[in-house]
Amino acid sequence: MALRFCRAKAITPSRPPTEKCSKMSAMTTEAAELVVLRYPIGAPSRAESFTPEQRCEAIAGVRQLPANLRSAVVAFSEDQLATPYRPGGWTVRQLIHHVADSHMNAYVRVRLALTEDWPTIVAYEEARWAELEDARTAAVSTSLDLLQALHVRWVQLFTSLDEPDWKRGYTHPVNGRQSVEQALMLYDWHGRHHTAHISQLSARMGW
Ligand code: NI
């Protein structure tokens, strides 16, 4: 069933975290800056369930991610793509390949959840994936093109779901049970999270 909210709802830009961490005041400035570098839009929601409006907003974010990511790096040189997004972090190139790797895994997990009864999915070592030769060297256009096509399929799948579908899910061997709607919210956040890493780097470097 197509959700009519999807067409009416405007895309909301990335939201800054609204809750202040009580531990923040005790942190050194350097540690607090590192948190901002790592989590520029805050942490993902841990809610158990979501409204149709929240889901539609997230679907809009999933739809928009490939274009947002592409425009974030469209003018980047090879040197800029080889720059870590934060000290000790992945390069921009690794980061883009990571988003493609992550979302391919997530797309498969959602399809498994919709076709099996709470399957236990296979976790993957994302840090090791990011160190494989192709993840360190391949042209970013390969993963940007891949994400563009993948997200068309993913959005078409998400917009076809009815209420019981959103409550299906999978079991992650480490993180436990995750419903399809929780996966949607997590991966909308994940796309915006990594896009913010790149725009934050650009702003910091004056690019
Ligand atoms: Ni990630």
Side-chain angles (χ1 to χ4, degrees), residues 126-205:
E126 63 175 26
R128 289 187 181 179
W129 282 44
E131 292 302 330
L132 292 173
E133 173 80 13
D134 67 318
R136 288 188 289 105
T137 62
V140 293
S141 60
T142 57
S143 281
L144 292 171
D145 291 348
L146 203 155
L147 282 164
Q148 193 173 336
L150 182 73
H151 278 229
V152 170
R153 289 290 308 274
W154 216 3
V155 166
Q156 192 170 352
L157 177 64
F158 280 136
T159 52
S160 74
L161 302 185
D162 57 24
E163 200 57 36
D165 292 330
W166 289 112
K167 308 301 180 190
R168 300 177 71 97
Y170 52 79
T171 301
H172 187 288
V174 177
N175 302 330
R177 283 162 71 93
Q178 186 156 54
S179 67
V180 171
E181 64 180 348
Q182 286 174 317
L184 163 65
M185 304 310 284
L186 178 63
Y187 287 95
D188 168 41
W189 170 86
H190 187 251
R192 291 184 290 108
H193 168 71
H194 285 306
T195 306
H197 283 148
I198 298 172
S199 40
Q200 191 181 57
L201 174 69
S202 293
R204 207 164 67 244
M205 304 293 267

